[in-house]
Every structure is written in structure tokens, then in C-alpha cells.
Amino acid sequence: MDCEKYEELFTGWINKDISPAEREKLEKHLATCNGCREELAFMQAMWTDMGEIATPEPSAHMEVKFRAMLDTFKTQEAEKFSFKNWLGNLWQMQPRWPMAYNLAVILVAFGFGFWAMNKGTNNQDKGQLQELSAQVHELKQTMVLAMLENPSASERMKAVSYTSEMKHADDQVIEALLSTLNNDPNVNVRLTTLETLSEMTRYPEVREGLIRSIKGQDSPLMQSAIADVMLKLQEKKSVGSFKELLKQKDLDNGVRNKIEQTISHLI
Amino acid sequence: MNTLTDNAIMLKVKAGELDLMGLLFQRYHRQLYGFLFHMTYQKEASEDMVQQVFYKMLKYRASFAGTSEFVHWMYAIARNVLKDQGRKKKLTMAGIAVDELADVIPGGVEVNGQIERKQAAQTLQKAMAKLKEDDRDILSLSRFQELKHGEIAQIMNISEGAVKVRVHRAMCQLKEIYTRIER
């Protein structure tokens, strides 16, 4: 009946984790109890066999992962530490009462500001609206500039017509339009550009650009179209350019006549 | 550095020399992996948990008092990680068919005359897998990690007498399952 008490000592006996007194007690019992001797022998065999159970090796990249984890942890700690220090220093730097007073003043100022802002909401709305429309305008310009680079002629024409919708064009847009006027391979695009630019002649740089482009145009269509625009504008400065155009030998006869007429009208 | 005791190293880590945790990793990651593997029989999960244990030892380094052994502290944390994982998803043997175990666990070196013992070990392994988690826990610490009853008592925060009883009960359970499989 007592066997149960002794059995609890078995594992201690097997792995030599037992006090001398308990050991003696158990061994005395074993000498007299067959059942316990057999049980202990079985347990011991099992204990030994358990030692044969293999454990797989951890993979080699475990240490790499550990190093990475350690590095991340170190940086996190460093950040936390420096932030704490910074806060601490801020508090230590000045005597506390003035600091607290400053904080109070800041809070009051914020409160007042908030109140004042609420009162002036209408003004603020207007300001925001203006800012917003400015942003939209800027967006439009960017879009037009990008479209002017488009390989499709119809897209470029669309871009040019968009610019005529703009209330005010800035230097960048004008420059892009003039460059299209002079360099675009498609005559239709150039014609549309000329049409758009003729609406923008209030800008001096547009007028100058148009005059400069007279000499560069080789298509009769463009040449006569520019002549029309100059006549409409009564732009006397363009006469020089037209005279130079007349010097070209391969100038279309119809265009030659038209330009001569234009010059006589302008003078 | 290599002559320093685990406790001395851990106390330095606690004082801010975080790099020294690398030394403790080198000393104990295999052992810890073995413990976690025998508790889950899942290689990747065990490796992940080793990382978690070392991360927790870094994070909670301030709680290392240095009055007891570093290893005991480490196992206590490992057992908590196991519990957390078990709560998240059933990481225990319930998910693995015992017959698949032979694929998971590598065989020992086959020396003449040892084949029989190897077979016995494989059967025992299957029996271990069928044990309740608590029983496997205490046997892993006692047999595989070769910890004394007193040490297990510290890790589990129970009396040494209770450890003896529980180890014995776990052995009885193991024997019962083992003989059932043998037959």
C-alpha cells in the first residue's frame, strides 16, 4: 500500500536528484518489494530511451534573424531614450514656474485665436476659395503643358484650345504655345495655335513671338494666316519680317501677293 | 567575456549593454529551441518563438533580478510565450497526426544494436506527443532540458514536492500510452 509514496521517488532516483535520506528509504523498500523493483526498472529503461529522442537542429539563419531583431530593438531603444531625454531637458532647462506660466499664456493665446478665427469665418472662407481656385488653375496649366507634348496631333490641338479657356496665361504657357507655333510638325496644330495666340495679343511677348515666327514658317497656309493676324493687329513692327520673307525665292505666288498687300496696308 | 556567468551577462544587458544578449543567444538558443520543439513539434513556429523569447528578455530586461538563475528566467518566459501562442492558435499536437511525426523528427545515428532502441525512442516520441500539454511540459524540462526538480519548481513557481509528484504522474501517463502503442 505504501508503494505509491515510494514511486514518487523513482525519477529522482533515476536522475540522481534525491536526498541521501530518501535514497536510503527507497532502496530499503526496493529490497523487499518485487513490484516496485520491476516498475523502477521499466521507468529507468523508458527514461534512458527518452534520451534517444532526437531534436532537430535549428536552421542557420536563426542567428541572422536574431541579429536583425537585436539591431531593430537597439535603434528603437535609442530613439525612445533620446526623446525622453529631450523632454526631460526641456523641463530642466528653465525654472518650472516661468515654464508653467509660459504654457498658460500659450494656452490662452490659442484659445483667443480660436475664438477670433471662429468670428472671422467668412473672411477665411473667401481666402480658402481663392486659394482653391488658384490651385485648380495651376493644375490646368500643368495638364495643358503635358498635353502639348502628346504624340497625337488631335490631343495637342485640344491642349491648345484649352489654353484659350484660361483667364490668364503665365509665361510658361505662352512659351509652350510659341514653341508649338514654330516647331509642331502638324500644320493644323500650328494653325489652331496661331488662332489661340491671336486672342492673347494683349501680352507683349505674344506679339513679339508672332513677329519672330513669320520668318520661320514655310507653309503657305501659315504664312498667309499670320499676315491676316498682323493686319488685324495693325502691327507695324512686322513689316521688316515680311520683307525678309519676300526675299525667299520659293515663296508661293499667292502668298507673295498677299504679303505685299499686307505691307502696303500696314505702311 | 566568455568566462562571465549567465547572470553577470544578463545584468550587464539590463544595465544597457544590449549587444551582450548575443552571447546568451549563442549559449542557449539550441537548448531553448529543443524545449519549444518538443512542446510543439513545429520547426518554424519553434524558431519564431525562440526569437520572441529573446525579444521579451530584451524588452523586460529590467525585471531580471539576478537573484535566481538566468536559465530559469528564460524558461519561465518561454513557457509564457508558449501559452500565448497556444491561446492564439492551437499549436499543440492536436493538429498533427501522430504517424506524421516520423517525418518531423530526425532519426538518430544508426549504430549496430541501436536500431531497437531507436524504435523504442520513436514509439516513446509518439507517446510523448499524445501526452497532455502539462505533462509534456514538465517532462521536457526534466528529461530533455535535464533540469533538477528544484529548478523546475522555480520556473513553474510551485513547490519542489509538487514537481516530484507531477513528474511522476507524467511518467505514469507516458508509460500507459507507451504500453498501449507497443501492444
Side-chain angles (χ1 to χ4, degrees):
Chain A
M1 274 299 109
D2 274 348
C3 288
E4 225 172 274
K5 254 167 84 188
Y6 292 108
E7 279 171 6
E8 282 171 11
L9 301 172
F10 283 179
T11 37
W13 187 86
I14 292 166
N15 59 8
K16 298 182 180 67
D17 187 11
I18 192 170
S19 71
E22 279 178 328
R23 189 189 168 91
E24 207 187 312
K25 207 169 74 181
L26 175 63
E27 283 174 2
K28 236 183 208 169
H29 172 76
L30 286 172
T32 59
C33 180
N34 245 339
C36 277
R37 261 208 309 277
E38 269 173 32
E39 180 75 6
L40 177 63
F42 191 89
M43 288 280 186
Q44 190 169 19
M46 213 164 72
W47 191 264
T48 315
D49 285 343
M50 278 168 85
E52 293 293 309
I53 296 175
T55 306
E57 278 286 299
S59 64
H61 57 252
M62 241 183 109
E63 178 143 7
V64 182
K65 271 199 215 159
F66 168 76
R67 295 280 162 202
M69 185 271 283
L70 183 60
D71 280 345
T72 324
F73 186 83
K74 268 160 59 190
T75 31
Q76 277 172 357
E77 284 293 289
E79 276 165 17
K80 213 161 69 183
F81 207 62
S82 60
F83 183 66
K84 256 192 207 163
N85 274 355
W86 180 77
L87 271 183
N89 284 343
L90 207 67
W91 195 244
Q92 294 294 335
M93 239 160 40
Q94 310 187 25
R96 273 152 218 202
W97 278 112
M99 180 97 165
Y101 173 75
N102 284 348
L103 270 175
V105 168
I106 289 170
L107 276 178
V108 169
F110 262 107
F112 181 76
F114 192 68
W115 175 75
M117 283 243 279
N118 269 349
K119 274 189 85 181
T121 336
N122 277 335
N123 279 337
Q124 207 190 350
D125 276 355
K126 264 185 205 160
Q128 276 184 344
L129 207 66
Q130 266 174 4
E131 200 181 309
L132 215 64
S133 60
Q135 274 178 4
V136 170
H137 180 74
E138 204 175 301
L139 211 67
K140 248 188 187 168
Q141 283 198 351
T142 318
M143 187 187 74
V144 163
L145 290 177
M147 272 172 85
L148 280 174
E149 304 287 316
N150 198 293
S152 145
S154 63
E155 284 297 304
R156 294 201 298 276
M157 260 153 81
K158 243 192 245 171
V160 171
S161 57
Y162 276 153
T163 57
S164 58
E165 285 169 21
M166 287 183 186
K167 280 179 203 146
H168 51 90
D170 71 357
D171 297 347
Q172 242 185 320
V173 173
I174 291 173
E175 201 182 305
L177 283 175
L178 285 172
S179 140
T180 308
L181 179 73
N182 291 326
N183 305 320
D184 200 282
N186 186 300
V187 78
N188 288 325
V189 177
R190 278 180 287 165
L191 275 172
T192 315
T193 313
L194 179 65
E195 203 179 312
T196 305
L197 282 169
S198 66
E199 303 288 316
M200 294 163 74
T201 43
R202 59 187 182 279
Y203 299 100
E205 59 263 43
V206 172
R207 301 164 81 110
E208 281 162 27
L210 284 173
I211 294 168
R212 252 183 284 125
S213 103
I214 292 173
K215 289 176 275 179
Q217 298 295 344
D218 48 9
S219 146
L221 264 175
M222 281 303 291
Q223 288 160 345
S224 57
I226 290 187
D228 279 341
V229 172
M230 289 300 145
L231 199 59
K232 210 168 108 193
L233 288 174
Q234 288 293 311
E235 183 60 82
K236 292 195 166 55
K237 283 185 208 155
S238 64
V239 175
S241 295
F242 281 129
K243 277 183 176 164
E244 257 181 66
L245 198 59
L246 285 175
K247 283 179 198 160
Q248 287 180 16
K249 278 170 193 160
D250 53 353
L251 198 65
D252 185 89
N253 273 336
V255 174
R256 191 176 290 275
N257 285 340
K258 181 155 186 149
I259 287 178
E260 278 166 354
Q261 270 178 19
T262 308
I263 293 176
S264 66
H265 275 291
L266 283 175
I267 295 171
Chain B
M1 272 303 165
N2 271 324
T3 54
L4 282 177
T5 63
D6 301 338
N7 277 27
I9 296 174
M10 190 58 217
L11 285 173
K12 276 174 183 282
V13 172
K14 185 181 174 181
E17 292 181 57
L18 299 180
D19 275 326
L20 289 181
M21 192 52 111
L23 268 180
L24 292 171
F25 180 84
Q26 275 167 5
R27 282 186 194 178
Y28 288 108
H29 79 277
R30 273 163 211 279
Q31 191 175 327
L32 190 58
Y33 173 77
F35 171 67
L36 293 166
F37 179 79
H38 282 295
M39 291 304 291
T40 60
Y41 299 108
Q42 295 179 27
K43 291 181 184 177
E44 271 180 37
S46 301
E47 288 192 4
D48 285 348
M49 279 191 275
V50 171
Q51 297 289 0
Q52 281 179 44
V53 172
F54 275 94
Y55 176 77
K56 288 206 165 171
M57 289 197 289
L58 282 169
K59 194 172 172 190
Y60 302 115
R61 59 191 184 281
S63 73
F64 179 71
T67 46
S68 60
E69 288 293 316
F70 164 76
V71 190
H72 302 160
W73 187 59
M74 179 183 81
Y75 279 118
I77 291 176
R79 291 179 75 246
N80 277 332
V81 168
L82 266 171
K83 257 186 232 158
D84 288 349
Q85 288 289 319
R87 237 176 271 137
K88 266 186 232 159
K89 50 177 180 177
K90 271 271 161 259
L91 242 192
T92 51
M93 292 308 300
I96 294 188
V98 172
D99 292 335
E100 290 170 17
L101 271 178
D103 305 330
V104 184
I105 296 150
V109 186
E110 283 187 43
V111 182
N112 283 341
Q114 279 202 342
I115 295 172
E116 218 168 282
R117 284 187 65 195
K118 200 192 128 195
Q119 275 170 350
Q122 269 182 3
T123 317
L124 267 173
Q125 177 70 70
K126 286 182 189 174
M128 281 286 288
K130 286 193 169 180
L131 277 180
K132 269 191 246 147
E133 206 168 318
D134 284 349
D135 291 337
R136 200 162 62 240
D137 183 19
I138 204 157
L139 281 188
S140 296
L141 291 172
S142 171
R143 183 62 185 102
F144 300 131
Q145 307 303 313
E146 298 180 334
L147 295 171
K148 301 272 177 212
H149 291 152
E151 294 178 301
I152 299 174
Q154 279 194 24
I155 294 167
M156 292 192 163
N157 205 14
I158 53 177
S159 75
E160 199 175 329
V163 174
K164 277 184 204 168
V165 174
R166 282 176 63 175
V167 171
H168 176 65
R169 262 192 229 145
M171 281 299 279
C172 288
Q173 284 295 316
L174 184 66
K175 184 191 158 193
E176 203 185 306
I177 300 170
Y178 176 67
T179 44
R180 209 166 50 213
I181 299 176
E182 277 279 87
R183 240 180 273 140

